[in-house]
Amino acid sequence: LQGGSETVLVVEDNESVREFVRSVLGSNGFTLLEAGGSEEALRLIEKHSEPIHLLLTDVVMPQLSGPELAARLASVHPEARVLYMSGYTDNAIVHHGVLDAGTHFLQKPFGPGALIKKIHEVLEQ
């Protein structure tokens, strides 16, 4: 798959996962904003005046959950699409009411191909 020129905000508290995503997205031409948690992400969202095309965020985080962060992002950057990632299965997350059925979701661990494919799928909708 070809890369993209879109801006992706990655919010993930696990440094090794963030490094992996940074490497994959950077080598595929995406512009990357990254945060280690929701509070840092909120500061980036407020400061970034250009479009944010995609929020790639962990579902379960301290302070704000992924869905809460996505709602805050939508108020400032309504153009942003959202892709959630988690080590929990999508069925477990939907079953516990964390995400709605049909929400864009990528289960950890994932490889570079799966990440790029899913990002393209979300951005093309």
Side-chain angles (χ1 to χ4, degrees):
L1 286 170
Q2 292 295 320
S5 59
E6 295 88 354
T7 298
V8 179
L9 171 56
V10 178
V11 185
E12 168 61 58
D13 59 351
N14 183 307
E15 179 66 29
S16 62
V17 173
R18 253 192 352 268
E19 286 176 8
F20 170 75
V21 170
R22 177 189 316 127
S23 172
V24 172
L25 296 186
S27 65
N28 280 277
F30 291 95
T31 300
L32 188 65
L33 302 171
E34 60 181 289
S38 55
E39 295 300 318
E40 185 180 355
L42 289 173
R43 288 190 295 275
L44 282 172
I45 290 166
E46 292 295 327
K47 290 188 335 188
H48 194 76
S49 59
E50 299 296 318
I52 296 175
H53 300 96
L54 179 71
L55 169 64
L56 174 61
T57 183
D58 202 348
V59 175
V60 179
M61 297 184 293
Q63 287 101 26
L64 294 176
S65 69
E68 290 168 327
L69 179 61
R72 298 277 290 272
L73 173 65
S75 69
V76 180
H77 291 278
E79 74 282 355
R81 304 220 188 270
V82 182
L83 173 57
Y84 296 101
M85 58 184 166
S86 178
Y88 298 103
T89 66
D90 56 348
N91 288 342
I93 289 174
V94 168
H95 177 73
H96 290 290
V98 179
L99 294 179
D100 295 328
T103 301
H104 297 293
F105 179 82
L106 187 60
Q107 185 172 345
K108 297 177 196 172
F110 47 80
L115 175 60
I116 295 300
K117 181 179 179 189
K118 192 67 173 182
I119 285 175
H120 279 290
E121 178 184 310
V122 174
L123 288 173
E124 289 171 5
Q125 287 191 338

